[in-house]
Amino acid sequence: MNYNGILKFKGTWRKYQARVLENTRKYIADGRVHIVAAPGSGKTTLGIELISRMGEHALVLAPSITIREQWVARIIEGFLCDGINPDDYLSQDLKNPKAITVVTYQALHSAMNRYKGTIDESGKDGDDEGTDDATVSAKDKEDVDYSTFDVVQTMRDNQVGVICLDECHHLRSEWWKALE
């Protein structure tokens, strides 16, 4: 996937972001890049740029619908070239992947387990004190039917070559099993 003419950063790189990008080849030599930085430091922006530079279809996994939507908004606002229709290159649906597909860990877990029903993708831990159905908004719930869906084959067919694990410290053990 060549992202030239599709994605181009519209801003100015912060000094530490520029340092990371100057060393991209060295960092991706083993096929892995780990970015650890404070909130608001531009990790998502770096992730999008790295996806663009790697030049492959990407699957981005986020811990909640809110963060999933932030990824898509950041791509559209900060990178998508003028005249490019986001629907041609961006997806938030595992069943309909595009060049960059952004979904929640819960969606991947549900697809791997061929789940059919309603999933809570708020990213809230059901065991957290004070968390109950009343605190999860309707927009954080989605009806899904993965009963006959083969997510692994679909990602192969879409030639996903980059997997981005956002906020992976939020991974629940069950979600981690889906990644394995």
Side-chain angles (χ1 to χ4, degrees):
M1 175 75 210
N2 183 344
Y3 289 102
N4 289 335
I6 300 165
L7 298 178
K8 181 170 176 37
F9 183 53
K10 298 175 185 177
T12 303
W13 296 112
R14 297 172 183 169
K15 287 181 184 180
Y16 55 87
Q17 290 173 316
R19 275 194 314 270
V20 169
L21 294 171
E22 287 168 11
N23 292 293
T24 299
R25 287 192 194 275
K26 179 173 78 174
Y27 295 147
I28 64 172
D30 70 349
R32 295 175 182 87
V33 177
H34 301 266
I35 298 173
V36 180
S41 62
K43 295 180 296 292
T44 301
T45 301
L46 271 174
I48 297 165
E49 180 65 18
L50 290 170
I51 288 168
S52 177
R53 289 182 182 203
M54 290 175 162
E56 298 188 56
H57 285 208
L59 175 64
V60 178
L61 297 161
S64 67
I65 289 175
T66 300
I67 294 173
R68 177 190 78 189
E69 290 172 350
Q70 287 172 356
W71 267 87
V72 172
R74 181 75 44 85
I75 294 168
I76 293 169
E77 295 163 8
F79 286 85
L80 204 62
C81 294
D82 292 338
I84 300 296
N85 181 352
D87 294 336
D88 292 340
Y89 296 95
L90 304 174
S91 173
Q92 296 181 60
D93 181 0
L94 277 172
K95 288 183 168 182
N96 298 297
K98 303 275 177 84
I100 301 174
T101 303
V102 187
V103 299
T104 62
Y105 290 109
Q106 181 67 21
L108 177 66
H109 178 262
S110 296
M112 291 299 293
N113 288 293
R114 307 236 175 167
Y115 178 75
K116 180 180 180 179
T118 302
I119 57 175
D120 166 10
E121 295 188 295
S122 66
K124 295 178 182 173
D125 206 344
D127 297 332
D128 286 350
E129 187 176 321
T131 300
D132 58 32
D133 265 354
T135 63
V136 177
S137 73
K139 82 172 196 104
D140 291 330
K141 293 185 177 188
E142 291 185 347
D143 291 327
V144 297
D145 183 357
Y146 295 120
S147 59
T148 61
F149 178 62
D150 186 340
V151 67
V152 174
Q153 189 60 51
T154 300
M155 294 303 114
R156 283 186 183 134
D157 292 347
N158 194 50
Q159 300 176 339
V160 170
V162 174
I163 299 176
C164 178
L165 308 177
D166 190 20
E167 304 260 349
C168 61
H169 58 281
H170 287 292
L171 278 169
R172 298 178 191 175
S173 62
E174 286 302 309
W175 295 354
W176 188 255
K177 290 175 187 174
L179 289 172
E180 290 175 340

